[in-house]
């Protein structure tokens, strides 16, 4: 088992990394070093050599002076916490990250424009100043909001931290002393016993039945024996090294500390994890893309009208102010807040379903995920050994392995079962911890070996031991009359000692037929990846072994063969109940689920089959070879959909072979992988999309074009998963069983350890992506009726139809609630039956969305607004024909006798009241057309009549925006405060036809779109 | 839920009908004397009343959902969250039932 002996492979990736990271800081070098395998060599040295190396004594331990010296040299034995970002940096990131930058540029441009105006004009209009201030305020408030949101979830994170200081029993100057684990130094002689946490990396020098639980490091569910002998070249495989922060489950051991703190195997993984750079979240990339589009549009419009205004004869400075004005008008002021609130709402909804999201942007990531790499132990499985099958009476019986004992039980009436249960109970040192009588048996905590605990839970111990004499795996017990010899152990060994077999409670001679039946059962259970134990017993004749017979275990003075074989029991770490269903749902959602585990291939494959990662009927290359009875090399790998890859094979693969495997097999299990290999697998998965979606093009070219590929989620709970968790686009850690390091590295935490919550995450992620599109489409649409008045003001010299204040009232007032309410919109179709989005093609905001929002709906809205404007002007006496070109006189304070179409004379103040009434009417018209807009934005494909109006928040939004508009228009004092004037009721209805037109237009568009899938309308307008 | 909606919207129409004539009345009354003077005061009051009514309606709408939830318990709740949560529970139970045969 070449667990992690992947130096040759590592070299290849290291070079690859160097190329990528060479322009970056020198920190990359350390990281590459960490990516290499563990440098421990002490396991190959003799105990004396180790003692010499650390200047320590095998009996006396270090002297206190030496220990102090080493402590000063090496530092305390603790992991350096990952560098925490200072709070102000986090805050600034919220203030200046992503979308905020757009608003900041807008604000700066506003201040610039105001400065120009202040320098050139005597009485500069305050509009630009106000706009700048409002923009800054919006960014700061939203920044604070999201900062506090994230601070909240990081507080929950801190509650995970285990603050109990660890103690260690060391021997210094011949004296045993209990010291703080942080004080342990290299060379210390340490004693550990069952239940202790290993204080540092130890070279074992003596042990008594010591077993350690390495599951958080290697993913093996079973406890591993520790002994002083070197059994393997690989430090991770050998038995004489115990690792920092793993648990000793039973026995005692004494060892010499070889590494402390960050130099331990765990420490290296933790450092590697915190050193990994993570990319941007998919949603951050989408928002960046959106900013590019919106900036492009803004600059294009700005420059076009800048040139036009120069041609029309405006001065340079005026043109520059127009340019800035147009660019700023394109900034959707309310969108930042909308997006933040939408994401927060989803994060809250997910938290209620036990998915804690550490970073707001990660809310959407699961929705875009196309591959999930899942750890096995503790994530897919329950991480507790359970008896799954039994073989007795020549029949395989199935035990209940579900978490809640809901499964069916087998027939317990056979007398063989009674014997089997008795042996299992007697050959057992595990005991239930006290004070748990009220709990169901499976929930009770057990002290002892995992496999013995499993047996204990299975048989519901009722027997009482009278005496116990340890003899390896053989135990003898005294019953009333005679001694009963019971034995458990490896099945083939047990069988060798047996001459009879128990059938239906009666002893029968063991014939060849029975032996074959035994072999078949053993192979079958072993093939399920289960750990099989054999049980046998012997009633010792009273005449030979009278009461008080002195059994000598060293010099065996009693019969240990010709026993009676009773049965087999097999154990496995069973899958969690909800996992198969969740895996199935991920499948149907087009997500590939890959298992990446440190455990053995057979167990991994069995669990993969159990949970559906390898679906029924799919075979690996080995399966095909076995079925057709041909060598593995003759099987065409393309025929096998599933494959199980061993860590040792993985290290020999080149990047191309790796990609080939990931591309051609849909169901993959990686077994015996080291943490570093997990990282490489994740990187391999992330390269995928460029091939699968662009396979008709030259793959090399694609590789150059899109270096970022598939979006990969990693789930895991152990320390060995944490580098992969960090590297993945979204790392999902387990909240209850997960290690601290993995929780630190993850972006999302499943608080109930339920893998099914991932499905919730995918669902919510996809929904919020769709709904964000709708929100953005809605918010962007009102940009056009907001910009066009200014353009017409410049181009045809009419009095300004819509002012800055009213624009802000729309963006930050009336549009807010409806835009947010779209986040509550239900899915249009079954989003879990859809393929994951292609990050290269399916963008959050694309040209089609802009074309719909700006080019179609927005234009109709602008028409509605202008209609209201011209109606009011005309009612007041200014027919459109007079309005054109009137601007200079209109805005001239000294002109107090401006004549309208009917010859009435207007003073400056009177004209301004009419103008601001027009602003109010334009504003109200936009509100009216936005009613229709929010209703059409509810769906992207379906008709509103199919979708229904079930979204209460949206209806609430409609009411509130109208109420706000009425309030702004009618509240006394508004004419002074915001320069908004009361409107005659009839003016409200000017935009109604346009609102209706928008609704009908879009319903027809969507009808054609549905009727004619893939047609021109879909290609050009489906956003 | 639809009935509540229908009720609310019909109320809205009523309110609109009540406020409009008010404003219209004021307008008509003055119009005879001087078409250039408009009764902006009653317009303001009517408009504000309209805003207040809409606002309360909206709030009621939101609150009505909460209340219905607590009275009728979860099963009939229209909120999608509850519905999805239910699905999850059902699927878990189904998976648990399915799991045992899938074992072998």
């Amino acid at each position: 088992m070449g667990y992690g002996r992947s130096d040759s492979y590592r070299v290849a990736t290291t070079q690859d990394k160097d190329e990528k990271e060479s322009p970056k800081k020198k920190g990359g070098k350390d990281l590459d070093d960490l990516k290499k395998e563990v440098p421990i060599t002490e396991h190959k040295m003799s105990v004396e050599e180790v003692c010499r190396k650390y200047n320590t004594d095998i009996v006396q331990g270090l002297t206190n002076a030496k220990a102090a010296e080493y402590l000063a040299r090496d530092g305390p034995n603790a992991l350096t916490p990952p560098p925490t970002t200072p709070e102000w940096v986090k805050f600034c990131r919220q203030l200046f990250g992503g979308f905020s930058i757009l608003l900041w540029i807008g604000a700066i441009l506003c201040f610039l424009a105001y400065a120009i105006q202040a320098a050139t004009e005597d009485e500069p209009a305050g509009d630009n100043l106000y706009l700048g201030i409002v923009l800054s305020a919006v960014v700061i408030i939203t920044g604070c909001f999201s900062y506090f949101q994230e601070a909240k979830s990081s507080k929950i994170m801190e509650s995970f931290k285990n603050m109990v200081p660890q103690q260690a029993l060391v021997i210094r100057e011949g004296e045993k002393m209990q010291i703080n684990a942080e004080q342990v130094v290299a060379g210390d002689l340490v004693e550990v016993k069952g239940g202790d946490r290993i204080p540092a990396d130890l070279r074992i020098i003596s042990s008594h039945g010591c077993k350690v639980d390495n599951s958080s490091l290697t993913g093996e569910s079973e406890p591993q024996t520790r002994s002083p002998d070197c059994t393997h070249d690989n430090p991770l495989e050998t038995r004489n090294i115990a690792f920092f922060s793993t648990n000793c489950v039973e026995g005692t051991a004494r060892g010499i500390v070889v590494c402390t703190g960050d130099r331990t195997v765990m420490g290296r993984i933790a450092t590697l994890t915190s050193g990994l750079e993570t990319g941007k979240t998919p949603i951050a990339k989408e928002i960046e893309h959106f900013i590019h589009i919106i900036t492009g549009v803004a600059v294009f419009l700005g420059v076009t009208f800048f040139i036009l205004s120069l041609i029309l004869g405006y001065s340079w400075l005026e043109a520059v102010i127009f340019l800035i004005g147009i660019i700023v008008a394109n900034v959707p002021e309310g969108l930042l807040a909308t997006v933040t609130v939408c994401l927060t709402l989803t994060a809250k909804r997910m938290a209620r379903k036990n998915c804690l999201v550490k970073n707001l942007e990660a809310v959407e990531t699961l929705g875009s995920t196309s591959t999930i790499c899942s750890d096995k132990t503790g994530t897919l499985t329950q991480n507790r050994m359970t008896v799954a099958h039994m073989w007795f009476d020549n029949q395989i019986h199935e035990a209940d392995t579900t978490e809640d004992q809901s499964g069916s039980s087998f027939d317990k009436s056979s007398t063989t079962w009674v014997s089997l249960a008795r042996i299992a109970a007697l050959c057992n040192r595990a005991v239930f911890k006290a004070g748990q009588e009220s709990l169901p048996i499976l929930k009770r905590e057990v002290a002892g070996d995992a496999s013995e605990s499993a047996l204990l839970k299975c048989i519901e111990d009722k027997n009482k031991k009278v005496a116990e004499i340890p003899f390896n795996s053989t135990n003898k017990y005294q019953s009333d009359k005679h001694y009963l010899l019971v034995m458990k152990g490896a099945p083939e060994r047990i069988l060798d000692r047996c001459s009879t077999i128990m059938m239906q409670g009666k002893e029968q001679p063991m014939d060849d037929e029975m032996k074959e039946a035994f072999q078949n059962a053993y192979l079958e259970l072993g093939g399920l990846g289960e750990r099989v134990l054999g049980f046998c017993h012997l009633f010792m004749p009273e005449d030979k072994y009278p009461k008080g017979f002195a059994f000598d275990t060293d010099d065996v003075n009693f019969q240990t063969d010709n026993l009676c074989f009773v049965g087999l029991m097999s154990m496995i770490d069973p899958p969690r109940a909800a996992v198969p269903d969740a895996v199935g749902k991920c499948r149907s959602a087009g997500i590939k689920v890959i298992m990446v585990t440190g455990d053995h291939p057979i167990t991994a494959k069995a669990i993969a089959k159990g949970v559906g990662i390898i679906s029924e009927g799919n075979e690996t290359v080995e399966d095909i070879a076995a079925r057709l009875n041909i060598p593995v090399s003759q099987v065409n790998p393309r025929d096998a959909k599933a494959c199980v890859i061993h860590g040792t094979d993985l290290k020999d693969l080149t990047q191309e072979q790796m990609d080939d495997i990931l591309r051609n097999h849909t169901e993959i299990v990686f077994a015996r992988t080291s943490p570093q290999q997990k990282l490489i697998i994740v990187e391999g998965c992330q390269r995928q999309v460029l091939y699968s979606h662009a396979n008709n093009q030259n793959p090399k070219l694609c590789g150059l074009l899109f270096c970022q590929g598939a979006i990969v989620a990693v789930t895991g709970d152990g320390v060995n998963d944490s580098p992969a968790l960090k590297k993945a686009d979204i790392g999902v850690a387990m909240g209850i069983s997960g290690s601290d390091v993995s929780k630190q590295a993850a972006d999302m935490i499943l608080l109930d350890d339920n893998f099914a919550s991932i499905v919730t995450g995918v669902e919510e992620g996809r929904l919020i992506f769709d709904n964000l599109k709708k929100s953005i489409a809605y918010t962007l649409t009102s940009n056009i009726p907001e910009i066009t008045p200014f353009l017409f003001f410049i181009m045809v010299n009419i009095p300004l139809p819509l002012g800055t204040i009213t624009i802000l009232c729309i963006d930050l007032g009336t549009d807010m609630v409806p835009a947010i309410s779209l986040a509550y919109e239900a899915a249009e179709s079954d989003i879990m039956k859809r393929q994951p989005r292609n990050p290269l093609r399916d963008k959050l905001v694309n040209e089609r969305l802009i074309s719909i929002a700006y080019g179609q709906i927005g234009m109709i809205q602008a028409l509605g607004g202008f209609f209201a404007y011209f109606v009011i002007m005309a009612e007041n006496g200014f027919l459109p024909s007079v309005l054109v070109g009137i601007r200079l006189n209109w805005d001239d304070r000294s002109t107090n006798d401006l004549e309208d179409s009917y010859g009435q004379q207007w003073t400056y103040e009177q004209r301004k009241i009419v103008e601001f009434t027009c602003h109010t009417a334009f504003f109200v018209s936009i509100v009216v057309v936005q009613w229709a807009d929010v209703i059409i934005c509810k769906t992207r494909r379906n008709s509103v009549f199919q979708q229904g109006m079930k979204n209460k928040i949206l209806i609430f939004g409609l009411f509130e925006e109208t109420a706000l508009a009425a309030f702004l228009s009618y509240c006394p004092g508004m004419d002074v405060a915001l320069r908004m004037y009361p409107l005659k009721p009839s003016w409200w209805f000017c935009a109604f036809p346009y609102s209706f037109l928008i609704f009908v237009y879009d319903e027809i568009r969507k009808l054609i779109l549905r009727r004619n899938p893939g047609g021109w309308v879909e290609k050009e307008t489906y956003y | 839920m639809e009935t509540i909606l229908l009720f609310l919207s019909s109320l809205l129409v009523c309110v609109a009908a009540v406020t409009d004539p008010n404003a219209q009345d004021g307008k008509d009354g003055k119009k005879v004397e001087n078409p250039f003077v408009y009764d902006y005061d009653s317009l303001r009051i009517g408009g504000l009343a309209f805003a207040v009514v809409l606002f309360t309606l909206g709030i009621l709408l939101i609150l009505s959902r909460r209340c219905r939830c607590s009275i009728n318990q979860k099963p009939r709740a229209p909120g999608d969250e509850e519905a999805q949560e239910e699905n999850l529970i059902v699927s878990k139970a189904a998976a648990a039932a399915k799991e045992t045969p899938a074992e072998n």
Side-chain angles (χ1 to χ4, degrees):
Chain A
M1 287 172 237
Y3 176 82
R5 273 179 309 166
S6 43
D7 283 0
S8 56
Y9 180 44
R10 191 81 43 228
V11 173
T13 38
T14 308
Q15 283 166 353
D16 184 42
K17 279 270 147 194
D18 273 347
E19 274 169 48
K20 262 193 251 166
E21 288 178 15
S22 51
K24 281 195 187 166
K25 59 197 188 253
K26 62 183 182 339
K29 267 275 178 282
D30 296 350
L31 216 60
D32 288 336
D33 184 46
L34 285 171
K35 275 193 171 186
K36 285 185 197 141
E37 298 301 331
V38 189
I40 292 178
T41 52
E42 280 81 1
H43 60 291
K44 282 186 254 180
M45 300 180 187
S46 70
V47 175
E48 288 71 32
E49 280 174 323
V50 176
C51 285
R52 223 173 299 135
K53 183 174 173 190
Y54 291 101
N55 287 324
T56 186
D57 187 277
I58 195 160
V59 183
Q60 300 284 314
L62 286 176
T63 61
N64 281 326
K66 270 262 167 57
E69 184 196 321
Y70 286 159
L71 187 65
R73 186 192 65 192
D74 295 339
N77 173 35
L79 297 184
T80 324
T84 46
T85 347
E87 291 299 306
W88 66 272
V89 172
K90 280 189 198 164
F91 186 61
C92 285
R93 230 178 256 164
Q94 296 296 347
L95 271 190
F96 299 107
F99 207 72
S100 319
I101 213 76
L102 191 64
L103 294 199
W104 279 121
I105 294 171
I108 291 167
L109 286 177
C110 282
F111 290 130
L112 187 69
Y114 180 73
I116 296 174
Q117 282 173 320
T120 51
E121 294 168 27
D122 301 330
E123 262 185 87
D127 284 12
N128 275 319
L129 183 64
Y130 302 143
L131 189 57
I133 292 170
V134 169
L135 283 176
S136 324
V138 167
V139 196
I140 292 169
I141 292 169
T142 331
C144 291
F145 179 76
S146 40
Y147 171 74
F148 283 115
Q149 280 300 324
E150 294 206 352
K152 241 196 247 165
S153 56
S154 63
K155 237 181 231 158
I156 303 178
M157 282 301 300
E158 268 164 34
S159 67
F160 286 130
K161 277 188 190 157
N162 184 7
M163 282 314 196
V164 184
Q166 294 285 326
Q167 296 286 312
L169 188 68
V170 296
I171 298 165
R172 284 184 187 166
E173 295 183 358
E175 271 178 63
K176 282 191 187 181
M177 45 206 247
Q178 194 85 25
I179 59 167
N180 203 323
E182 285 194 7
Q183 307 292 318
V184 172
V185 296
D188 258 332
L189 205 54
V190 175
E191 259 192 21
V192 288
K193 57 178 192 309
D196 283 356
R197 178 171 268 206
I198 311 275
D201 282 1
L202 302 181
R203 161 74 162 86
I204 304 291
I205 53 172
S206 69
S207 97
H208 293 283
C210 177
K211 284 191 175 179
V212 289
D213 175 13
N214 273 355
S215 64
S216 80
L217 187 65
T218 61
E220 294 155 308
S221 306
E222 290 172 33
Q224 307 290 308
T225 316
R226 293 291 106 162
S227 63
D229 324 301
C230 175
T231 54
H232 204 286
D233 280 350
N234 188 330
L236 287 172
E237 290 283 343
T238 185
R239 287 196 174 163
N240 58 356
I241 301 274
F243 298 103
F244 175 53
S245 95
T246 58
N247 281 312
C248 177
V249 283
E250 65 171 46
T252 56
R254 190 178 274 207
I256 296 173
V257 174
V258 290
C259 294
T260 57
D262 288 336
R263 288 168 301 280
T264 58
V265 175
M266 283 283 183
R268 289 166 62 89
I269 295 173
T271 322
L272 170 65
T273 306
S274 60
L276 280 175
E277 298 265 337
T278 45
K280 281 185 186 142
T281 57
I283 195 77
K285 281 182 211 149
E286 291 304 322
I287 285 178
E288 198 169 274
H289 178 245
F290 168 50
I291 292 175
H292 288 160
I293 289 190
I294 207 90
T295 322
V297 172
V299 170
F300 168 76
L301 276 179
V303 170
T304 313
F305 283 89
F306 175 74
I307 294 166
L308 272 178
S309 53
L310 282 181
I311 293 168
L312 286 172
Y314 287 98
S315 74
W316 269 97
L317 276 178
E318 274 175 316
V320 167
I321 288 173
F322 289 157
L323 170 76
I324 294 176
I326 291 170
I327 290 177
V328 172
N330 265 295
V331 175
E333 289 92 348
L335 205 51
L336 173 62
T338 309
V339 170
T340 314
V341 172
C342 287
L343 290 177
T344 313
L345 287 173
T346 309
K348 286 218 160 137
R349 202 153 34 174
M350 286 167 78
R352 244 183 287 146
K353 294 178 187 173
N354 291 319
C355 289
L356 178 74
V357 182
K358 275 165 70 182
N359 171 1
L360 262 195
E361 285 175 347
V363 161
E364 188 273 334
T365 316
L366 262 184
S368 322
T369 299
S370 54
T371 314
I372 296 178
C373 294
S374 180
D375 178 39
K376 179 182 79 72
T377 316
T379 311
L380 298 175
T381 68
Q382 303 167 15
N383 199 13
R384 60 176 181 91
M385 291 303 272
T386 308
V387 174
H389 293 95
M390 276 163 266
W391 182 77
F392 55 83
D393 295 347
N394 197 11
Q395 207 178 345
I396 290 181
H397 299 263
E398 193 175 303
D400 178 17
T401 55
T402 51
E403 284 134 304
D404 49 0
Q405 286 278 283
S406 56
S408 58
S409 194
F410 57 95
D411 175 29
K412 287 185 175 175
S413 59
S414 166
T415 40
T416 319
W417 159 245
V418 178
S419 303
L420 186 61
R422 184 171 56 200
I423 303 168
L426 292 174
C427 289
N428 204 325
R429 269 169 296 164
V431 282
F432 286 115
K433 286 181 183 165
Q436 305 185 91
E437 283 73 22
S438 57
L439 290 170
I441 291 197
L442 279 183
K443 291 261 169 68
R444 291 189 204 165
E445 274 188 54
V446 179
D449 183 299
S451 62
E452 294 193 340
S453 316
L455 292 176
L456 183 66
K457 284 181 177 177
C458 174
I459 54 174
E460 303 166 28
D461 186 14
K462 287 185 205 81
N463 298 356
K464 276 251 159 65
K465 283 179 212 171
V466 179
E468 172 182 335
I469 303 162
F471 170 74
N472 296 340
S473 57
T474 318
N475 296 337
K476 287 160 302 301
Y477 298 93
Q478 190 181 37
S479 68
D480 285 341
K481 279 192 182 149
H482 42 227
Y483 287 102
L484 170 71
L485 181 118
V486 292
M487 196 188 277
K488 80 162 186 213
E492 63 273 14
R493 296 279 196 80
I494 294 289
L495 191 72
D496 286 345
R497 295 173 179 272
C498 293
S499 57
T500 55
I501 185 164
M502 185 176 268
M503 297 302 274
Q504 269 82 31
K506 291 185 193 74
E507 281 191 35
Q508 288 176 7
M510 177 81 82
D511 50 16
D512 283 346
E513 200 184 318
M514 273 337 290
K515 275 192 180 160
E516 206 187 307
F518 160 85
Q519 279 302 338
N520 288 339
Y522 182 30
L523 280 177
E524 187 176 343
L525 295 178
L528 291 173
E530 296 177 4
R531 186 180 163 183
V532 190
L533 287 176
F535 295 86
C536 64
H537 70 183
L538 176 73
F539 289 100
M540 299 186 118
E542 211 175 338
D543 48 338
K544 269 198 205 166
Y545 307 97
K547 230 174 187 181
F549 181 84
F551 290 98
D552 187 350
T553 51
D554 293 330
D555 176 26
V556 183
N557 60 349
F558 49 89
Q559 182 188 5
T560 56
D561 45 13
N562 289 328
L563 309 175
C564 170
F565 190 84
V566 179
L568 295 172
M569 281 175 126
S570 67
M571 279 161 288
I572 198 162
D573 180 13
R576 290 171 191 270
V579 170
D581 196 47
V583 170
K585 277 190 181 165
C586 289
R587 271 277 153 67
S588 65
I591 301 170
K592 196 167 164 180
V593 185
I594 294 176
M595 184 195 276
V596 183
T597 178
D599 211 342
H600 296 272
I602 302 171
T603 326
K605 192 175 159 193
I607 295 291
K609 281 193 168 164
V611 299
I613 286 180
I614 295 182
S615 46
E616 238 167 281
N618 272 351
E619 294 173 305
T620 63
V621 176
E622 291 78 16
D623 290 337
I624 295 179
R627 179 166 56 88
L628 301 176
N629 226 346
I630 51 171
V632 173
S633 53
Q634 287 183 13
V635 180
N636 180 4
R638 295 285 156 96
D639 291 343
K641 272 193 176 169
C643 72
V644 178
I645 292 161
H646 199 281
T648 19
D649 303 334
L650 192 61
K651 71 163 200 220
D652 300 326
L653 296 178
T654 63
Q655 189 165 319
E656 283 73 34
Q657 284 172 314
M658 175 89 173
D659 289 346
D660 199 52
I661 287 170
L662 289 170
R663 190 164 63 243
N664 290 322
H665 298 280
T666 49
E667 302 175 346
I668 311 173
V669 172
F670 290 99
R672 292 313 268 172
T673 48
S674 66
Q676 287 84 355
Q677 286 178 327
K678 287 193 177 194
L679 195 60
I680 285 159
I681 293 166
V682 170
E683 283 171 351
C685 292
Q686 285 175 333
R687 281 196 301 269
Q688 281 311 296
V689 98
L690 40 129
Y691 299 119
S692 57
H693 288 283
N695 45 11
N696 50 352
Q697 292 166 38
N698 181 358
K700 257 191 193 155
L701 187 69
C702 294
L704 287 172
L705 285 175
F706 321 113
C707 40
Q708 289 291 328
I711 293 164
V712 179
V714 169
T715 65
D717 63 336
V719 176
N720 58 341
D721 302 315
S722 44
L725 284 173
K726 185 83 178 276
K727 182 72 204 176
D729 296 284
I730 179 162
V732 184
M734 298 290 148
I736 303 169
S737 60
S739 56
D740 284 351
V741 184
S742 71
K743 280 180 209 162
Q744 290 284 351
D747 304 298
M748 186 187 272
I749 290 159
L750 302 182
L751 294 175
D752 57 353
D753 282 16
N754 185 353
F755 186 79
S757 307
I758 287 187
V759 178
T760 314
V762 172
E763 209 167 349
E764 291 290 343
R766 289 185 175 187
L767 188 60
I768 194 63
F769 190 80
D770 283 4
N771 286 348
L772 271 183
K773 268 188 180 182
K774 295 172 186 174
S775 277
I776 291 175
Y778 172 78
T779 316
L780 286 187
T781 309
S782 62
N783 255 4
I784 287 297
E786 287 162 8
I787 301 169
T788 39
F790 191 58
L791 299 183
F792 277 83
F793 169 76
I794 302 171
M795 293 298 115
V796 290
N797 284 319
I798 52 172
L800 187 65
L802 187 69
T804 315
I805 293 169
T806 30
I807 289 179
L808 287 177
C809 285
I810 294 165
D811 281 348
L812 300 175
T814 57
D815 267 4
M816 281 304 248
V817 187
I820 292 168
S821 76
L822 285 170
Y824 285 97
E825 200 55 46
E828 275 175 72
S829 52
D830 196 346
I831 39 175
M832 292 307 282
K833 292 267 151 63
R834 211 161 68 183
Q835 289 294 306
R837 79 184 171 93
N838 178 346
L840 306 175
R841 214 177 38 207
D842 307 332
K843 291 290 185 189
L844 181 66
V845 172
N846 48 27
E847 324 72 58
R848 296 186 293 279
L849 188 147
I850 298 286
S851 127
I852 284 278
Y854 277 14
Q856 296 163 46
I857 311 298
M859 290 301 173
I860 304 178
Q861 292 194 335
L863 280 180
F866 273 103
F867 179 66
Y869 167 80
F870 282 118
V871 164
I872 293 169
M873 279 298 188
E875 275 196 25
N876 280 290
F878 292 95
L879 294 178
S881 49
V882 236
L883 280 177
V884 176
I886 207 175
R887 181 175 76 94
L888 279 181
N889 288 327
W890 183 280
D891 285 341
D892 186 358
R893 277 171 198 280
S894 55
T895 313
N896 279 316
D897 54 352
L898 189 68
E899 286 192 6
D900 63 17
S901 309
Y902 300 99
Q904 303 172 95
Q905 292 191 333
W906 293 78
T907 64
Y908 178 77
E909 206 40 52
Q910 283 172 327
R911 291 195 308 261
K912 280 292 155 183
I913 290 178
V914 174
E915 184 187 323
F916 286 117
T917 311
C918 286
H919 287 187
T920 316
F922 208 112
F923 159 72
V924 164
S925 303
I926 292 180
V927 170
V928 169
V929 285
Q930 284 288 68
W931 290 345
D933 191 29
V934 74
I935 289 172
I936 62 161
C937 283
K938 271 167 70 74
T939 55
R940 293 191 296 142
R941 178 182 289 270
N942 288 354
S943 160
V944 177
F945 301 106
Q946 291 168 319
Q947 180 82 351
M949 290 291 283
K950 287 184 202 118
N951 187 345
K952 300 277 148 5
I953 312 283
L954 191 139
I955 299 168
F956 167 79
L958 286 175
F959 280 145
E960 294 313 275
E961 77 170 323
T962 317
L964 182 61
F967 174 80
L968 286 175
S969 165
Y970 293 118
C971 184
M974 277 299 166
D975 45 353
V976 188
L978 297 177
R979 299 231 68 173
M980 292 175 99
Y981 288 86
L983 294 182
K984 290 183 190 173
S986 56
W987 293 342
W988 279 73
F989 296 96
C990 297
F992 271 55
Y994 296 90
S995 199
F996 187 67
L997 175 65
I998 289 173
F999 181 77
V1000 173
Y1001 174 82
D1002 208 64
E1003 275 298 316
I1004 292 173
R1005 177 183 74 87
K1006 282 187 256 190
L1007 181 71
I1008 300 172
L1009 199 146
R1010 288 194 303 275
R1011 283 284 163 82
N1012 196 0
W1016 180 83
V1017 175
E1018 174 157 6
K1019 270 189 211 138
E1020 295 302 322
T1021 68
Y1022 183 65
Y1023 56 86
Chain B
M1 203 63 235
E2 270 63 40
T3 44
I4 284 256
L5 257 183
L6 210 70
F7 171 73
L8 288 180
S9 37
S10 58
L11 208 76
L12 180 68
V13 172
C14 287
V15 167
V18 172
T19 29
D20 273 346
N22 272 356
Q24 225 81 41
D25 280 348
K27 192 174 87 178
D28 291 346
K30 300 278 173 184
K31 216 175 185 178
V32 187
E33 292 156 28
N34 186 349
F36 292 96
V37 177
Y38 191 83
D39 181 8
Y40 276 102
D41 285 337
S42 41
L43 178 68
R44 275 219 150 103
I45 293 165
L48 271 178
F50 178 65
V52 169
V53 167
L54 271 183
F55 182 77
T56 21
L57 269 182
I59 298 286
L60 276 180
L61 188 81
I62 292 288
L63 291 182
S64 74
R65 191 180 73 147
R66 295 260 163 82
C67 295
R68 281 169 60 86
C69 277
S70 56
I71 295 166
N72 292 11
Q73 276 122 35
K74 272 166 223 154
R76 275 215 62 225
D80 53 336
E81 300 105 353
E82 277 87 357
Q84 275 172 12
E85 220 150 43
E86 257 185 286
N87 282 344
L88 218 70
I89 294 163
V90 170
S91 69
K92 233 190 273 177
K98 244 185 268 168
E99 205 216 7
T100 333
E103 246 325 274
N104 38 1

